[in-house]
């Protein structure tokens, strides 16, 4: 039980970091599927960091390290695809191998395999046109659970002596299976919530733009006259809820609605107007 609690403490740190990242532009590539390499690089860097932190925050158990490294490897593959997942896992695996111990090679191989497994699930869902499933906490839980089972098998196959490896797996398998799978599900849940928020905001802005377009249809048929400009400004003011709306040409104010309309009168020059002798572009 103490090992389970320690691993969940690690996850708490990861989730706090993830929450802080969700308030920055770095989080946007995680919430939207993209084939652009800059987004893949962001995913690689972020989840490689989580892999390495998972090892550093781990607990030394019988010459090995109980950790939450699989969260970074699996999610790097799930969100970035096979190539990204492979390199995330390889990076985390090589870092673990550099620390030594009788499971160093087994952990390096298994972490690489975990990243690749997440990437293969991504590829499978892409082929079936079900990329929406990438943001399913249940899927993240299941894939990470399978990845951790694979890691335990690789430890038994590669770590020597076998008796020590078997004793280690018996001790660390249940806590690591539970902690890593739960952590991946919580992380994906956070990304899914952020994705929904982006979609709702996008839908709200799109609907508002459509309403504005519908209400202004025909108003500019005769050009940007003062009367048309005043009508459009009034509509924009009502729909957007901003403090004031101004419509100008190169030299003067055509319409002004909202705060300051008592002195920003139509027909007056505005502050950015070019010199009278200059041609208006």
């Amino acid at each position: 039980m103490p090992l389970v609690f320690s691993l969940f403490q690690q996850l708490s740190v990861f989730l706090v970091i993830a929450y802080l990242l969700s308030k920055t532009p770095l989080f946007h590539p995680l919430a939207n599927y993209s084939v652009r390499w800059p987004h893949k690089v962001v995913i690689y860097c972020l989840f490689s960091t989580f892999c390495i932190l998972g090892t550093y925050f781990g607990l030394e158990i019988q010459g090995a390290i109980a950790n939450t490294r699989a969260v970074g490897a699996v999610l790097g593959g799930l969100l970035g695809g096979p190539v990204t997942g492979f390199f995330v896992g390889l990076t985390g695996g090589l870092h673990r191998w550099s620390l030594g111990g009788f499971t160093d090679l087994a952990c390096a191989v298994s972490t690489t395999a975990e990243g690749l497994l997440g990437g293969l699930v991504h590829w499978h869902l892409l082929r079936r046109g079900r990329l929406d499933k990438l943001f399913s906490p249940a899927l993240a839980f299941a894939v990470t659970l399978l990845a951790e089972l694979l890691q335990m098998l690789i430890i038994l196959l590669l770590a020597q002596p076998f008796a020590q490896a078997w004793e280690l797996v018996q001790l660390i398998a249940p806590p690591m299976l539970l902690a890593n799978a739960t952590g991946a599900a919580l992380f994906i849940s956070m990304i899914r919530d952020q994705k929904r928020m982006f979609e709702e905001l996008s839908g709200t802005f799109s609907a508002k733009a459509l309403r504005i377009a519908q209400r202004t249809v025909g108003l500019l048929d005769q050009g940007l006259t003062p009367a048309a400009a005043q009508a459009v400004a009034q509509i924009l003011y009502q729909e957007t809820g901003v403090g004031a709306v101004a419509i100008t040409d190169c030299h003067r104010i055509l319409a002004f609605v909202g705060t300051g309309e008592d002195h920003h009168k139509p027909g007056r020059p505005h502050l950015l107007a070019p010199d009278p002798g200059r041609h208006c572009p």
Side-chain angles (χ1 to χ4, degrees), residues 178-194:
L178 178 62
N180 280 280
T182 303
L186 290 173
F187 202 121
I188 283 291
S189 179
M190 186 178 298
I191 295 174
R192 182 191 61 183
D193 292 344
Q194 194 77 1

Side-chain angles (χ1 to χ4, degrees), residues 110-245:
S110 62
T111 305
T112 306
E114 287 174 329
L116 185 59
L117 175 63
L120 290 175
V121 172
H122 173 108
W123 176 76
H124 174 70
L125 293 175
L126 176 63
R127 290 194 62 189
R128 296 185 60 188
R130 296 303 309 273
L131 283 176
D132 56 301
K133 290 289 186 180
L134 290 176
F135 302 98
S136 166
L139 177 69
F141 184 96
V143 174
T144 308
L145 192 71
L146 178 60
E148 280 296 272
L149 287 171
L150 178 62
Q151 181 182 38
M152 299 305 156
L153 177 60
I154 292 174
I155 289 175
L156 291 176
L157 291 174
L158 298 183
Q160 296 296 328
F162 177 80
Q164 186 178 353
W166 174 246
E167 184 180 354
L168 174 69
V169 167
Q170 287 180 302
L171 180 63
I172 68 172
M176 286 183 60
L177 286 168
L178 178 62
N180 280 280
T182 303
L186 290 173
F187 202 121
I188 283 291
S189 179
M190 186 178 298
I191 295 174
R192 182 191 61 183
D193 292 344
Q194 194 77 1
K195 176 179 172 64
R196 285 178 177 172
M197 185 186 72
F198 291 152
E199 290 174 346
E200 289 173 1
L201 287 174
S202 177
T204 299
F205 292 143
S206 297
K208 186 173 294 186
L210 182 59
R211 282 199 308 272
I212 291 172
Q214 290 174 335
R215 293 186 62 184
T216 56
V217 168
L219 291 179
L220 301 176
D221 287 349
Q222 304 301 318
L224 192 60
T225 64
Q230 185 66 29
V232 171
Q234 188 67 44
I235 291 171
L236 291 173
Y237 180 71
Q238 294 170 355
E239 291 289 348
T240 60
V242 295
V245 174

Side-chain angles (χ1 to χ4, degrees), residues 12 18 32 36 52 90 100 104 163-164 190 222 254 269 280:
S12 299
N32 297 282
R36 295 178 58 196
I52 293 171
L90 180 63
D104 55 355
Q164 186 178 353
M190 186 178 298
Q222 304 301 318
L254 296 178
C280 180

